[in-house]
Amino acid sequence: NDSDGGKNAGPNPGWSRLFLSVGRMDHTQPGEIAGMLYREGGLPDGALGRIQLFDRFTLVDVKDPHGKDVVSKVKGARLRGRSIRIDFDRRPD
């Protein structure tokens, strides 16, 4: 149902997409991001969806209603010594 193969599709219903200010150029791995979000954000198992790593940022799908908690708990967290900015993705549709 996604005409672009899902690359730019929004999150599935019941999920929120989060923006993180780290990406490939920071030598970040998806597993590190998942671990940090589960650890710092206190997510239950299965609450993380797709993780899309780009050069300068990462988009992560989080099951509702956990997005708000993760954004507030992970603000100011560090990954690889860098402070991370996290927020809801504001990509134009």
Side-chain angles (χ1 to χ4, degrees):
N1 93 29
D2 295 323
S3 59
D4 64 357
K7 276 195 174 64
N8 290 318
N12 289 326
W15 293 77
S16 299
R17 182 154 294 159
L18 303 181
F19 168 94
L20 282 79
S21 64
V22 292
R24 278 195 204 106
M25 291 176 74
D26 302 298
H27 307 292
T28 306
Q29 301 296 317
E32 288 178 293
I33 289 172
M36 181 203 60
L37 291 174
Y38 276 116
R39 196 173 52 249
E40 308 281 336
L43 285 173
D45 284 347
L48 268 189
R50 186 163 59 165
I51 297 176
Q52 299 174 79
L53 219 56
F54 297 90
D55 284 346
R56 297 177 187 276
F57 65 94
T58 300
L59 296 177
V60 180
D61 292 352
V62 177
K63 198 174 212 112
D64 292 338
H66 305 293
K68 242 183 230 170
D69 281 351
V70 171
V71 168
S72 66
K73 289 179 181 173
V74 176
K75 269 198 196 322
R78 300 179 83 77
L79 188 64
R80 291 185 170 260
R82 272 198 62 198
S83 180
I84 293 174
R85 199 165 53 78
I86 182 170
D87 209 340
F88 286 94
D89 182 34
R90 287 196 270 277
R91 178 183 61 83
D93 287 323

